[in-house]
Amino acid sequence: MSVCSALLNRHLAVRCRAWWGVPRPLVHIRSASVAEPGTQRSDEESLWEAGGYLPFSGAKIGSFFQEQPVLKNPFLEDALLRGYLRRHLPEEAVSSDLCAFGERVANEVDGWGRECEVTPPRLVHFDPWGRRVDHIVTSQAWKRMKDLSAEEGLVAIGYERLYEEWSRVYQMSKLYIFSPSSGLYTCPLAMTDGAAKVIQSTGDSWPVEEAYSRLTTRQPQRFWTSGQWMTERQGGSDVASGTETLAVSQTDGSYKLHGFKWFTSATDADMTLTLARIQDRTGATTPGSRGLSLFYAEVCRGEDGRLKGIEVQRLKDKLGTRQMPTAELLLDGLPAHKLSEEGRGVASIANMLTVTRIHNSVSAAAAMRRVVQLARDYATRRTAFGKLLKEHPLHMQTLARMEVETRGAFLLVMDVCRLLGREESKMASSLDTHLLRLLTPVVKLYTGKQAVAVVSEGLESFGGQGYIEDTGLPAMLRDAQVLSIWEGTTNVLSLDVLRCVARSSGMVLHAYFSHIKSLLSGASGVSSLAPAITAVDAALSELKDFVQVAATTEPGYLELAARDLAYSLARIYTGALLIDHACWTGASPSDTYAALRWCEKDLCPVVTKQRRGCYDPNSPPLDAALVYDQPIQD
């Protein structure tokens, strides 16, 4: 055998072992068969090329390809979800439904969600002959999401109430599985659920009886989604001073709306609820929240194909949530019906805000769970520095911290869902009612912040691939950012917590302290949880002392502390829930460890910062001077 033949056979043997049975990607790159001017190909290169095994020649791009993370059944992959339902809702029909739905999400729906992302909605203002049509064109996947939502009862479950007080937990568990793969379709579902709640609470008589039926049906051909058109040019949360839309009374008792809606999510909805000011016979309106009424309007087209009383000005170009159409709308005589009593519009949407804020929190916890699941799977596939990521202690410590945050968020969200279910089933005690009022803004603001942090950390766990758009991973972070903004920013909701305390004369805090004490008492005999119980109990005492002191100070003191107070309420309550879950008979060692790890953090940051003088009355002018780089006034 010649030297050349021996050399070729040796390389062939090595390459066959590596490449046997591996498909070779067809990637077109510049041919490597042409030598650069002034160079000479070696005998070995020529032999490799002759055999077709030169590693990076021609259309070959090397033999190694990083495995992508695999999305498995999100129900079966979530031990905490399954454990929580075994404890509180041990119904075979529920677990079977969620398991089957999880399989569908992993194998079918997730692909639709990706299609929604890469095929965002677009606005067609005019037809080919110049007629104004204002068509919002969405992907086929977005339309399939609507049918799926009806078929799976993603709104209907909450109103069928087959499981009484636990029906909301069942519904939100299903949305929790669906949300990260939904292509943001959970946003129109949140508004649909909120609209159904408002109609139910105001009385589902004509003309909204049919609408309520359509919002809560399981029949795809009848199912409607609802918009929520509240935001105008002057701002979002401050609807009292920011709403300029006028309602002009008609002879038949209906109204026509005239105004400009600056931010309307899921603009392709079938109906909407919106606020407007009723004009009297002289054209005058009442300012402030007392002048606002709630209206119901259907989104439909006339015989000429144009939207009735609506012009779509443009679609919003957003950081995330690109899958969903969000538009600026001119209301120019939109036919509408008054749904609330005159001047009671803001009060009438309170129920809707409760529901949509809970939906927001479910999406936040779901985003955290999804990125943890993918990162966990990737750690079993990715090798770095000679071993799998899961074999690197620091990497696993990081994932464990993400897991603890995700578990805490899940239990906090589900407890608020439980409270909502008890209220709707007329089983709520006064303690339950007070807790629901207090915890709704708390869970929304806290989980929104958690989601951004955890998803961002999750992207890091994929290295550079976490920053590459076509992996689908960056969209998770962009979409998470809306969760701390929509339905009230962190500061707005922190102030809402203060209003809640004031309006209840402190009763919401009394319910809060009582319930946590009850949860800790139930775990007192579990020695393995003793450090966590001690930490929560101490933080609770500190918080109670802070509240008593703050009650005697100027109002500005509590306003400065509002954000840290809300965080403290969230962390202490979550710690108690983790302890409670860890001491039930079906709990796992991981449940105990998660409770211990959560309670290692600063559970009461409002007291920590109080000791540092963060709420000193002199702080606001100093903060302003720092922000605007101005001289500090003596």
Side-chain angles (χ1 to χ4, degrees), residues 93-380:
V94 171
S95 59
S96 295
D97 180 49
L98 294 179
C99 184
F101 185 56
E103 202 66 27
R104 189 177 183 187
V105 165
N107 297 324
E108 183 179 17
V109 179
D110 194 64
W112 300 352
R114 184 61 185 157
E115 184 183 334
C116 292
E117 171 72 19
V118 300
T119 315
R122 57 189 176 86
L123 174 61
V124 178
H125 272 304
F126 302 97
D127 72 7
W129 303 99
R131 296 181 181 86
R132 183 78 182 246
V133 290
D134 287 344
H135 278 299
I136 297 176
V137 181
T138 57
S139 66
Q140 286 301 310
W142 181 259
K143 297 176 177 64
R144 285 196 293 269
M145 292 294 186
K146 184 177 183 180
D147 291 344
L148 171 84
S149 299
E151 293 165 358
E152 296 288 347
L154 297 180
V155 175
I157 290 171
Y159 296 88
E160 293 165 346
R161 297 196 185 134
L162 297 178
Y163 300 98
E164 297 181 333
E165 63 179 304
W166 295 103
S167 295
R168 281 293 188 179
V169 166
Y170 173 26
Q171 175 201 13
M172 296 301 175
S173 295
K174 202 163 188 178
L175 283 163
Y176 172 78
I177 291 170
F178 176 59
S179 180
S181 297
S182 71
L184 258 293
Y185 208 81
T186 45
C187 181
L189 293 181
M191 293 183 289
T192 300
D193 197 346
K197 178 73 171 175
V198 169
I199 293 172
Q200 186 183 62
S201 63
T202 57
D204 55 350
S205 57
W206 187 90
V208 293
E209 182 179 11
E210 173 67 11
Y212 177 80
S213 173
R214 287 179 174 274
L215 295 173
T216 58
T217 186
R218 284 180 179 258
Q219 301 172 23
Q221 68 276 14
R222 294 193 68 245
F223 182 56
W224 275 6
T225 58
S226 176
Q228 182 179 308
W229 301 353
M230 305 296 171
T231 305
E232 301 195 8
R233 283 196 178 101
Q234 293 189 39
S237 298
D238 187 10
V239 294
S241 61
T243 301
E244 300 175 311
T245 299
L246 301 177
V248 180
S249 178
Q250 306 297 298
T251 55
D252 63 356
S254 66
Y255 292 81
K256 288 195 174 180
L257 305 184
H258 299 265
F260 196 94
K261 296 298 180 178
W262 179 246
F263 199 96
T264 64
S265 290
T267 317
D268 62 334
D270 303 282
M271 58 157 282
T272 190
L273 299 183
T274 189
L275 294 171
R277 299 185 187 278
I278 296 177
Q279 282 186 327
D280 63 19
R281 292 180 180 179
T282 67
T285 60
T286 303
S289 61
R290 292 180 304 164
L292 292 176
S293 301
L294 183 65
F295 291 85
Y296 157 81
E298 294 180 14
V299 182
C300 56
R301 294 180 180 272
E303 294 181 359
D304 60 356
R306 296 188 60 179
L307 288 169
K308 288 185 177 180
I310 301 173
E311 285 189 1
V312 184
Q313 300 301 296
R314 62 171 175 164
L315 294 184
K316 295 288 195 180
D317 187 7
K318 300 166 291 181
L319 168 69
T321 68
R322 297 174 181 175
Q323 311 94 316
M324 176 183 64
T326 303
E328 296 173 17
L329 300 180
L330 173 67
L331 307 186
D332 188 14
L334 173 65
H337 296 273
K338 183 163 63 69
L339 195 55
S340 70
E341 295 178 16
E342 186 169 342
R344 295 283 297 168
V346 174
S348 296
I349 64 173
N351 284 331
M352 179 174 66
L353 290 176
T354 296
V355 169
T356 53
R357 286 171 178 174
I358 291 174
H359 273 264
N360 195 96
S361 305
V362 170
S363 293
M368 296 160 69
R369 174 53 66 199
R370 175 60 58 85
V371 81
V372 169
Q373 286 177 343
L374 292 176
R376 183 174 63 192
D377 182 79
Y378 191 63
T380 68

Side-chain angles (χ1 to χ4, degrees), residues 114 459 462-476 478:
R114 184 61 185 157
L459 262 59
F462 298 97
Q465 289 299 94
Y467 201 67
I468 303 302
E469 277 292 344
D470 57 7
T471 64
L473 295 168
M476 297 180 68
R478 290 200 310 273

Side-chain angles (χ1 to χ4, degrees), residues 56-69:
F56 294 96
S57 69
K60 300 180 183 63
I61 55 175
S63 60
F64 175 79
F65 296 94
Q66 182 59 56
E67 288 189 66
Q68 68 183 55

